[in-house]
Amino acid sequence: GAGVSQSPSNKVTEKGKDVELRCDPISGHTALYWYRQRLGQGLEFLIYFQGNSAPDKSGLPSDRFSAERTGESVSTLTIQRTQQEDSAVYLCASSSTALGTAITEAFFGQGTRLTVV
Amino acid sequence: LAKTTQPISMDSYEGQEVNITCSHNNIATNDYITWYQQFPSQGPRFIIQGYKTKVTNEVASLFIPADRKSSTLSLPRVSLSDTAVYYCLVGDRDSGAGSYQLTFGKGTKLSVIP
């Protein structure tokens, strides 16, 4: 596609339920990032993929959070047993390369707004 | 990880030039400096990137002094539509694992006033 696509755009879920958030990166982009942004706050790094591997999972806030990427393309962020503090916008970004010394332009999706009630 | 420090907020009138300075005292030799812009309810978007001296594109200019411990994003003649949060990022690499992340700080909230 032309840009990074995320789905759903909005998700309301009950506390304790599991949710899956999907990210379709730009075709050919090897690097993929997930961020969380709470209302009025900055971007909180969650996880980074290079291809299908996740060399950096340091940002995942708890073991309720997991992510995978397949085919060096689609990524899914899963939150188990959701809590109200998980409410936020979850943003995905992709870039053509991440290894090396230069920051490459990253393209962000519109995000998934998750509300846990 | 190289950290960045920016002002939390800035106000400017329409038509003025706005300069937002970012401090990155621990920048590494191979790090680049990148700025992103985020409008409400949207993901951030790339504005400009540089290594040293001055870089200019159709949107902004980026000034980087010789010691590279800071950088200044310059927006010429801002308009109301430039109201957004601006993030300064410094390229960072874990030499051991080869990992990399785009580390966003809190950003600078620019409000353009009519």
Side-chain angles (χ1 to χ4, degrees):
Chain A
V4 178
S5 178
Q6 292 186 245
S7 60
S9 54
N10 282 284
K11 176 72 176 180
V12 179
T13 190
E14 292 181 351
K15 178 181 175 181
K17 295 287 180 65
D18 298 352
V19 295
E20 283 190 354
L21 312 180
R22 177 186 170 108
C23 174
D24 285 88
I26 292 173
S27 179
H29 278 190
T30 57
L32 186 147
Y33 308 83
W34 282 99
Y35 292 87
R36 177 169 70 178
Q37 188 169 35
R38 293 194 167 105
L39 185 64
Q41 303 298 309
L43 277 74
E44 177 186 2
F45 170 80
L46 297 179
I47 190 169
Y48 147 74
F49 287 92
Q50 177 64 20
N52 293 333
S53 301
D56 190 348
K57 301 180 181 180
S58 63
L60 294 177
S62 75
D63 59 7
R64 296 187 295 105
F65 287 72
S66 63
E68 66 174 11
R69 188 180 185 193
T70 57
E72 298 196 355
S73 180
V74 175
S75 176
T76 303
L77 177 68
T78 301
I79 308 173
Q80 295 178 309
R81 304 181 302 283
T82 52
Q83 304 294 313
Q84 287 186 329
E85 62 262 28
D86 299 333
S87 295
V89 174
Y90 289 82
L91 289 160
C92 173
S94 71
S95 66
S96 61
T97 182
L99 296 178
T101 57
I103 304 177
T104 306
E105 180 178 348
F107 295 84
F108 281 80
Q110 293 297 304
T112 294
R113 183 176 299 277
L114 175 66
T115 303
V116 182
V117 297
Chain B
L1 296 176
K3 294 185 179 179
T4 61
T5 304
Q6 304 173 234
I8 295 174
S9 64
M10 294 181 70
D11 294 335
S12 176
Y13 287 102
E14 275 190 293
Q16 290 189 329
E17 178 184 81
V18 171
N19 296 307
I20 305 174
T21 297
C22 177
S23 297
H24 27 79
N25 292 319
N26 297 323
I27 189 169
T29 302
N30 293 327
D31 285 346
Y32 277 66
I33 301 152
T34 308
W35 286 78
Y36 282 77
Q37 174 190 54
Q38 185 178 26
F39 296 115
S41 301
Q42 294 187 24
R45 68 171 189 171
F46 171 89
I47 301 177
I48 197 166
Q49 181 182 105
Y51 183 80
K52 62 180 179 180
T53 62
K54 177 184 176 182
V55 179
T56 298
N57 62 22
E58 65 278 6
V59 178
S61 294
L62 179 60
F63 297 91
I64 305 169
D67 66 5
R68 304 201 327 122
K69 293 184 182 297
S70 66
S71 59
T72 299
L73 175 73
S74 181
L75 305 172
R77 298 179 299 282
V78 295
S79 65
L80 296 176
S81 62
D82 292 317
T83 293
V85 177
Y86 293 83
Y87 295 95
C88 165
L89 284 72
V90 174
D92 187 17
R93 179 179 184 180
D94 177 351
S95 60
S99 65
Y100 171 90
Q101 63 173 266
L102 294 173
T103 304
F104 287 79
K106 296 186 184 301
T108 298
K109 184 175 182 180
L110 173 65
S111 299
V112 180
I113 306 165

Short mmCIF file of all heavy atoms in Angstrom, two decimals, chain B residues 3 7-10 14 18 24 26 30 33-34 37 49 56 60 65 72 82 90 93 97-98 102 105 107 110 113-114:
data_model
loop_
_atom_site.label_atom_id
_atom_site.label_comp_id
_atom_site.label_asym_id
_atom_site.label_seq_id
_atom_site.Cartn_x
_atom_site.Cartn_y
_atom_site.Cartn_z
N LYS B 3 20.10 10.95 24.99
CA LYS B 3 18.85 11.60 25.38
C LYS B 3 18.78 12.99 24.79
O LYS B 3 19.81 13.60 24.49
CB LYS B 3 18.75 11.66 26.89
CG LYS B 3 18.62 10.29 27.55
CD LYS B 3 18.41 10.42 29.05
CE LYS B 3 18.24 9.04 29.68
NZ LYS B 3 18.06 9.15 31.15
N PRO B 7 12.31 22.32 24.94
CA PRO B 7 11.30 23.04 25.72
C PRO B 7 9.96 22.33 25.61
O PRO B 7 9.65 21.74 24.58
CB PRO B 7 11.27 24.43 25.06
CG PRO B 7 11.90 24.24 23.72
CD PRO B 7 12.86 23.12 23.84
N ILE B 8 9.19 22.38 26.66
CA ILE B 8 7.91 21.70 26.67
C ILE B 8 6.92 22.35 25.72
O ILE B 8 6.16 21.68 25.02
CB ILE B 8 7.32 21.67 28.09
CG1 ILE B 8 8.22 20.82 28.99
CG2 ILE B 8 5.90 21.13 28.08
CD1 ILE B 8 7.82 20.85 30.44
N SER B 9 6.94 23.68 25.67
CA SER B 9 5.99 24.39 24.82
C SER B 9 6.57 25.71 24.36
O SER B 9 7.50 26.25 24.96
CB SER B 9 4.68 24.62 25.58
OG SER B 9 4.90 25.46 26.69
N MET B 10 5.99 26.20 23.26
CA MET B 10 6.35 27.51 22.71
C MET B 10 5.12 28.11 22.07
O MET B 10 4.29 27.39 21.51
CB MET B 10 7.45 27.38 21.66
CG MET B 10 8.78 26.91 22.16
SD MET B 10 10.01 26.82 20.85
CE MET B 10 10.27 28.55 20.50
N GLU B 14 1.48 34.18 14.04
CA GLU B 14 1.54 33.85 12.62
C GLU B 14 2.54 34.74 11.91
O GLU B 14 2.67 35.94 12.22
CB GLU B 14 0.17 34.07 11.97
CG GLU B 14 -0.78 32.92 12.09
CD GLU B 14 -2.01 33.10 11.22
OE1 GLU B 14 -2.81 34.02 11.51
OE2 GLU B 14 -2.16 32.34 10.25
N VAL B 18 10.10 30.60 13.83
CA VAL B 18 10.17 29.88 15.09
C VAL B 18 11.41 29.01 15.12
O VAL B 18 11.70 28.29 14.15
CB VAL B 18 8.92 29.00 15.29
CG1 VAL B 18 9.10 28.09 16.51
CG2 VAL B 18 7.69 29.87 15.46
N HIS B 24 21.39 17.59 23.04
CA HIS B 24 21.73 16.16 23.01
C HIS B 24 23.23 16.04 23.32
O HIS B 24 24.04 15.78 22.42
CB HIS B 24 21.37 15.50 21.68
CG HIS B 24 21.35 16.44 20.49
ND1 HIS B 24 22.49 16.85 19.86
CD2 HIS B 24 20.30 17.03 19.87
CE1 HIS B 24 22.16 17.65 18.88
NE2 HIS B 24 20.85 17.79 18.84
N ASN B 26 25.01 13.89 24.78
CA ASN B 26 25.69 12.60 24.67
C ASN B 26 25.63 12.02 23.26
O ASN B 26 25.78 10.81 23.09
CB ASN B 26 25.07 11.60 25.65
CG ASN B 26 25.28 12.04 27.09
OD1 ASN B 26 26.32 12.59 27.43
ND2 ASN B 26 24.27 11.82 27.92
N ASN B 30 28.52 8.74 15.26
CA ASN B 30 27.78 8.31 14.07
C ASN B 30 26.29 8.62 14.11
O ASN B 30 25.56 8.22 13.20
CB ASN B 30 27.96 6.81 13.86
CG ASN B 30 29.39 6.45 13.52
OD1 ASN B 30 30.09 7.21 12.87
ND2 ASN B 30 29.83 5.29 13.99
N ILE B 33 20.65 13.51 13.57
CA ILE B 33 19.60 14.23 14.29
C ILE B 33 18.40 14.35 13.36
O ILE B 33 18.53 14.77 12.21
CB ILE B 33 20.08 15.63 14.71
CG1 ILE B 33 21.31 15.51 15.61
CG2 ILE B 33 18.97 16.40 15.40
CD1 ILE B 33 22.23 16.71 15.53
N THR B 34 17.26 13.97 13.89
CA THR B 34 16.05 13.95 13.07
C THR B 34 14.91 14.63 13.82
O THR B 34 14.79 14.47 15.03
CB THR B 34 15.64 12.50 12.75
OG1 THR B 34 16.76 11.80 12.20
CG2 THR B 34 14.49 12.47 11.76
N GLN B 37 7.19 15.86 13.25
CA GLN B 37 6.06 16.74 13.57
C GLN B 37 4.83 15.87 13.79
O GLN B 37 4.61 14.92 13.02
CB GLN B 37 5.83 17.69 12.40
CG GLN B 37 4.63 18.60 12.49
CD GLN B 37 4.40 19.29 11.13
OE1 GLN B 37 4.30 18.65 10.10
NE2 GLN B 37 4.34 20.62 11.16
N GLN B 49 16.33 15.96 8.60
CA GLN B 49 17.40 15.18 9.22
C GLN B 49 18.75 15.77 8.85
O GLN B 49 18.92 16.25 7.72
CB GLN B 49 17.32 13.73 8.73
CG GLN B 49 18.33 12.78 9.31
CD GLN B 49 18.17 11.39 8.70
OE1 GLN B 49 18.94 10.95 7.87
NE2 GLN B 49 17.13 10.70 9.14
N THR B 56 18.57 22.29 4.77
CA THR B 56 17.33 23.02 4.46
C THR B 56 16.50 22.22 3.48
O THR B 56 17.03 21.66 2.53
CB THR B 56 17.65 24.40 3.88
OG1 THR B 56 18.36 25.17 4.85
CG2 THR B 56 16.37 25.15 3.53
N ALA B 60 11.58 23.22 6.44
CA ALA B 60 12.31 23.77 7.58
C ALA B 60 13.80 23.79 7.30
O ALA B 60 14.28 23.27 6.29
CB ALA B 60 12.02 22.91 8.82
N PRO B 65 25.52 22.94 15.37
CA PRO B 65 26.85 23.53 15.59
C PRO B 65 27.94 22.47 15.49
O PRO B 65 27.66 21.27 15.46
CB PRO B 65 26.74 24.10 17.01
CG PRO B 65 25.70 23.25 17.67
CD PRO B 65 24.72 22.89 16.59
N THR B 72 18.99 23.11 16.19
CA THR B 72 17.87 24.05 16.18
C THR B 72 17.04 23.86 14.93
O THR B 72 17.57 23.96 13.81
CB THR B 72 18.35 25.50 16.26
OG1 THR B 72 19.08 25.69 17.48
CG2 THR B 72 17.18 26.47 16.22
N ASP B 82 0.80 25.12 11.45
CA ASP B 82 2.06 24.59 12.00
C ASP B 82 1.93 24.25 13.48
O ASP B 82 2.88 23.74 14.09
CB ASP B 82 3.20 25.60 11.81
CG ASP B 82 3.57 25.79 10.36
OD1 ASP B 82 3.66 24.77 9.63
OD2 ASP B 82 3.77 26.95 9.94
N VAL B 90 17.63 11.51 18.22
CA VAL B 90 19.03 11.27 17.90
C VAL B 90 19.22 9.79 17.64
O VAL B 90 18.79 8.97 18.43
CB VAL B 90 19.94 11.73 19.05
CG1 VAL B 90 21.39 11.35 18.77
CG2 VAL B 90 19.81 13.23 19.25
N ARG B 93 22.48 3.48 18.39
CA ARG B 93 22.67 2.07 18.05
C ARG B 93 23.41 1.37 19.18
O ARG B 93 24.40 1.87 19.70
CB ARG B 93 23.49 1.96 16.76
CG ARG B 93 23.74 0.53 16.35
CD ARG B 93 24.54 0.46 15.06
NE ARG B 93 24.69 -0.93 14.64
CZ ARG B 93 25.33 -1.31 13.55
NH1 ARG B 93 25.85 -0.41 12.75
NH2 ARG B 93 25.44 -2.56 13.22
N ALA B 97 24.39 -5.50 20.27
CA ALA B 97 23.31 -6.29 19.68
C ALA B 97 22.94 -5.79 18.30
O ALA B 97 22.23 -6.47 17.58
CB ALA B 97 22.10 -6.25 20.59
N GLY B 98 23.41 -4.62 17.94
CA GLY B 98 23.03 -4.07 16.65
C GLY B 98 21.59 -3.61 16.64
O GLY B 98 21.01 -3.42 15.57
N LEU B 102 13.96 4.25 17.46
CA LEU B 102 13.65 5.66 17.37
C LEU B 102 13.14 6.07 18.74
O LEU B 102 12.07 5.66 19.15
CB LEU B 102 12.58 5.91 16.32
CG LEU B 102 12.94 5.63 14.86
CD1 LEU B 102 11.72 5.77 13.99
CD2 LEU B 102 14.03 6.58 14.39
N GLY B 105 11.35 11.85 22.71
CA GLY B 105 11.18 12.50 24.00
C GLY B 105 9.78 13.02 24.14
O GLY B 105 8.86 12.55 23.47
N GLY B 107 8.84 16.06 23.37
CA GLY B 107 8.53 16.98 22.30
C GLY B 107 8.25 18.40 22.77
O GLY B 107 8.16 18.68 23.97
N LEU B 110 4.14 23.40 19.94
CA LEU B 110 4.13 24.74 19.35
C LEU B 110 2.70 25.18 19.12
O LEU B 110 1.94 24.48 18.46
CB LEU B 110 4.90 24.76 18.03
CG LEU B 110 4.83 26.07 17.24
CD1 LEU B 110 5.51 27.20 18.00
CD2 LEU B 110 5.45 25.90 15.86
N ILE B 113 -0.38 31.50 17.17
CA ILE B 113 -1.50 32.38 17.53
C ILE B 113 -1.81 33.33 16.38
O ILE B 113 -0.88 33.87 15.78
CB ILE B 113 -1.12 33.19 18.79
CG1 ILE B 113 -0.69 32.23 19.92
CG2 ILE B 113 -2.26 34.06 19.26
CD1 ILE B 113 0.03 32.92 21.05
N PRO B 114 -3.09 33.54 16.10
CA PRO B 114 -3.44 34.46 14.99
C PRO B 114 -2.96 35.88 15.25
O PRO B 114 -2.88 36.32 16.40
CB PRO B 114 -4.97 34.40 14.95
CG PRO B 114 -5.34 33.17 15.67
CD PRO B 114 -4.28 32.90 16.68
#
